[in-house]
Amino acid sequence: MEIKGKNVFMNICFKMLVLTFLVLSPSFVAFAGDINSNEAGVISAASSTFEYDGKSYRAGSSYINSLTVYLCEDDVDLTAEQAQKAIDKMYNSIAEGVENGYLYEVNIHDDGEAVATTETTEEDADEDEDDSEDNTDKPVDKSQSKDNGVDVWNAMSNQTEAKSQLKNRPDKTEADASVKLDEDRIVVTTKNNEVVELNKNEQLVPSKVLTVTDTIAAVVLVITLICIVVLLIGKCMVFRKPQSRRARKGHTKRRKIRRHTRNVLTITTTVSLVSLFVMIGIYISLFNKDKIMQNMQMSGYFRFAYSEYVSEFANDTSVNNDNTIVNYEDYVFTIKQNSMKILDGETDIRIPDSNVSPYISNVKKSYLKLFAVAGVMFIISAVLGMVFMIFMDQRRERGVKHIAVAELVSSVIVVCITIYMAIVKPYTSLYIVPDYLYLFIMQCIRWSVKVMTSISAFTVVLGMFLVGVFKSMNSNSDV
């Protein structure tokens, strides 16, 4: 029975590893052609702030991405005259952009930028709502570039998976909190208008969280150590089974001590295991570099970063002395390499302000600091608890039984957390801008749910395996 249980356990573990590998397999999207300086001017103009009917508007990053993808196609190569016609047509039809949902109102005062109608500004934060049902599936007429210039709004209208996902984002007024990426910080605003700023160069995880977690771990470890001291003083430990089965003096007292300390150790071991499972889940969910890069790709960040670069190029040709724009593949390769270096802990790396890698690296530093203290204490507590539960009695199966109970209870807690995240989805009540940041965070959370589902399955299988070991040992002891 024990061998069969091990085979089932190893088989399930292998399948989970294969599933994880398949999920981690990245998919990449590339542009077919290049952007010339004339097309860069169109992207820059589309990224600017528009004024219409006394209000200010900007295009969502997913729509800028659609425009950039279109202009990168091989059969699109705008001349200066065609690009200027496209820009003029865009500014003369701002109402169309607003009506079709490509432009959304922004607060210029909060952004700290001047209103621009004929001049361009760099896009740091975008707002997006539902796509227009009348225009999202309309094909782009490329023949227009030969005559009157590109219809920018039409080029933005192509339906994409990202735009479909953005329909699930709540309205800002209905969200529990809004999250905005603003240059070197993330600004979180609650429903009560409480503002929390998270600077990428400062510790993002509050010190209070680290202190509370370390305190809990210390309390659990201290309780475990107290139980061990009680067992040792009461001479309750049996590391080697005695030859004589005659009860020693004080057997009744020792049995009472064992019962109470074993119950306490079961609780401390459960708390330790839950904490460790959650910590493992957090590490795999947040700090897997390959998955981070894949999520950045799927969120459209690299296309957005390229659009930012192109827009900057159009505004200041001094960024490139030979007056040529770096193609998409080369630019993204550099950004990806720099992002990987930042995720590896390097700090003196040039990266756009819109890149989330510095924030993830910052969180990782706090996490490693947390694990170095609380994590280690939880590991020590769990190991000591399991060892002393086994060796406090001649009947080793009793200790295995309580270890199985601790493991199963911890698995139930982890499963409940996973089910809550998968069904209730509290994260869907967040309003997050720009678009790519919303898509990135949603991708990360969905990945986290998958990771916790795998960990939940692992903990349940491990718990059942321990139950099988207990039953096997109990049967052998009764023979």
Side-chain angles (χ1 to χ4, degrees):
M1 179 178 180
E2 183 177 355
I3 295 177
K4 182 179 179 181
K6 290 182 179 179
N7 290 335
V8 173
F9 172 70
M10 293 302 295
N11 187 33
I12 293 178
C13 288
F14 175 75
K15 290 180 179 179
M16 286 191 293
L17 288 174
V18 173
L19 177 62
T20 301
F21 174 78
L22 292 175
V23 173
L24 283 173
S25 298
S27 59
F28 299 100
V29 178
F31 290 155
D34 296 331
I35 292 285
N36 62 38
S37 58
N38 302 319
E39 294 161 350
V42 176
I43 294 174
S44 178
S47 302
S48 66
T49 303
F50 302 90
E51 185 175 322
Y52 172 71
D53 197 21
K55 299 179 181 179
S56 299
Y57 296 86
R58 282 181 178 169
S61 63
S62 60
Y63 294 96
I64 297 297
N65 287 348
S66 295
L67 175 63
T68 305
V69 170
Y70 168 72
L71 293 176
C72 277
E73 294 184 6
D74 287 333
D75 53 352
V76 177
D77 189 19
L78 300 186
T79 64
E81 182 181 359
Q82 291 168 343
Q84 188 58 51
K85 286 183 178 179
I87 294 172
D88 292 342
K89 185 174 182 180
M90 177 180 62
Y91 280 120
N92 290 330
S93 59
I94 297 177
E96 180 183 346
V98 174
E99 181 181 353
N100 291 334
Y102 310 140
L103 297 176
Y104 301 99
E105 185 178 355
V106 294
N107 190 325
I108 298 301
H109 176 73
D110 290 343
D111 293 340
E113 296 179 355
V115 174
T117 56
T118 58
E119 298 180 355
T120 58
T121 56
E122 182 177 348
E123 177 179 343
D124 293 319
D126 307 298
E127 296 188 7
D128 192 12
E129 295 179 357
D130 292 351
D131 298 319
S132 172
E133 295 181 358
D134 297 333
N135 295 279
T136 52
D137 296 321
K138 184 174 61 176
V140 179
D141 183 8
K142 298 179 181 179
S143 64
Q144 63 189 321
S145 61
K146 298 179 181 179
D147 303 314
N148 300 322
V150 174
D151 186 336
V152 174
W153 308 132
N154 191 31
M156 288 183 176
S157 67
N158 286 345
Q159 180 67 293
T160 62
E161 183 180 353
K163 292 175 186 176
S164 299
Q165 294 180 21
L166 286 167
K167 292 181 180 180
N168 298 323
R169 181 172 55 183
D171 292 336
K172 187 174 183 179
T173 55
E174 298 175 356
D176 291 340
S178 64
V179 181
K180 174 185 175 183
L181 181 61
D182 187 10
E183 293 185 355
D184 61 345
R185 65 187 184 276
I186 293 177
V187 181
V188 181
T189 307
T190 66
K191 265 191 172 181
N192 299 327
N193 292 325
E194 296 180 2
V195 178
V196 179
E197 294 187 358
L198 305 174
N199 193 302
K200 67 180 179 182
N201 298 319
E202 299 176 357
Q203 179 175 300
L204 296 180
V205 180
S207 299
K208 185 180 296 185
V209 173
L210 301 179
T211 302
V212 170
T213 307
D214 290 344
T215 302
I216 294 174
V219 170
V220 171
L221 180 58
V222 168
I223 294 175
T224 300
L225 293 175
I226 291 174
C227 290
I228 291 173
V229 171
V230 171
L231 289 170
L232 293 175
I233 293 177
K235 298 180 180 180
C236 299
M237 300 306 300
V238 183
F239 293 103
R240 290 187 302 176
K241 292 185 179 181
Q243 296 179 352
S244 175
R245 298 179 62 88
R246 180 182 299 178
R248 294 180 296 162
K249 184 179 180 180
H251 172 71
T252 302
K253 180 180 179 181
R254 286 193 296 272
R255 184 170 59 184
K256 185 181 296 184
I257 293 175
R258 285 172 179 143
R259 184 174 67 252
H260 293 306
T261 54
R262 185 180 278 123
N263 291 336
V264 175
L265 288 176
T266 301
I267 296 174
T268 58
T269 302
T270 300
V271 174
S272 299
L273 289 176
V274 171
S275 302
L276 290 173
F277 290 145
V278 172
M279 284 185 172
I280 292 172
I282 291 175
Y283 186 86
I284 298 175
S285 300
L286 298 183
F287 309 125
N288 184 305
K289 290 189 296 184
D290 292 334
K291 192 60 184 179
I292 291 171
M293 300 305 293
Q294 183 183 0
N295 288 341
M296 290 174 70
Q297 179 83 32
M298 296 177 67
S299 70
Y301 168 71
F302 294 118
R303 294 191 293 274
F304 173 75
Y306 186 67
S307 300
E308 277 191 318
Y309 158 73
V310 170
S311 179
E312 179 184 354
F313 182 95
N315 290 331
D316 184 8
T317 56
S318 64
V319 299
N320 200 314
N321 294 328
D322 60 5
N323 202 34
T324 58
I325 300 176
V326 177
N327 63 42
Y328 175 79
E329 288 78 8
D330 292 339
Y331 178 82
V332 171
F333 176 80
T334 301
I335 293 295
K336 287 181 177 180
Q337 292 299 311
N338 289 345
S339 298
M340 294 289 281
K341 291 178 181 178
I342 292 175
L343 293 175
D344 285 331
E346 298 186 34
T347 54
D348 299 328
I349 304 296
R350 185 177 179 181
I351 203 79
D353 288 334
S354 56
N355 195 294
V356 297
S357 299
Y359 296 94
I360 297 174
S361 179
N362 195 322
V363 173
K364 185 177 180 179
K365 291 178 182 178
S366 299
Y367 174 86
L368 293 178
K369 186 188 300 184
L370 175 68
F371 190 83
V373 180
V376 171
M377 286 192 288
F378 281 130
I379 292 175
I380 295 174
S381 178
V383 172
L384 290 177
M386 288 186 283
V387 169
F388 277 81
M389 279 194 288
I390 291 175
F391 290 100
M392 72 168 62
D393 200 316
Q394 295 184 36
R395 300 287 297 269
R396 309 301 192 200
E397 65 273 12
R398 292 176 180 172
V400 174
K401 175 185 176 181
H402 280 261
I403 293 174
V405 170
E407 210 286 328
L408 285 174
V409 172
S410 64
S411 68
V412 169
I413 296 174
V414 173
V415 168
C416 290
I417 294 174
T418 305
I419 292 176
Y420 176 77
M421 292 296 293
I423 297 179
V424 180
K425 299 180 179 179
Y427 53 88
T428 57
S429 61
L430 296 176
Y431 176 82
I432 305 172
V433 289
D435 296 345
Y436 72 85
L437 181 62
Y438 171 81
L439 296 172
F440 175 79
I441 292 178
M442 293 302 107
Q443 290 284 354
C444 289
I445 294 176
R446 282 192 287 268
W447 165 247
S448 299
V449 173
K450 291 180 180 178
V451 169
M452 292 307 297
T453 301
S454 299
I455 291 177
S456 299
F458 174 81
T459 57
V460 171
V461 171
L462 180 59
M464 299 306 296
F465 174 75
L466 291 173
V467 170
V469 173
F470 160 71
K471 290 183 177 180
S472 177
M473 294 176 65
N474 193 46
S475 299
N476 293 334
S477 65
D478 292 337
V479 176

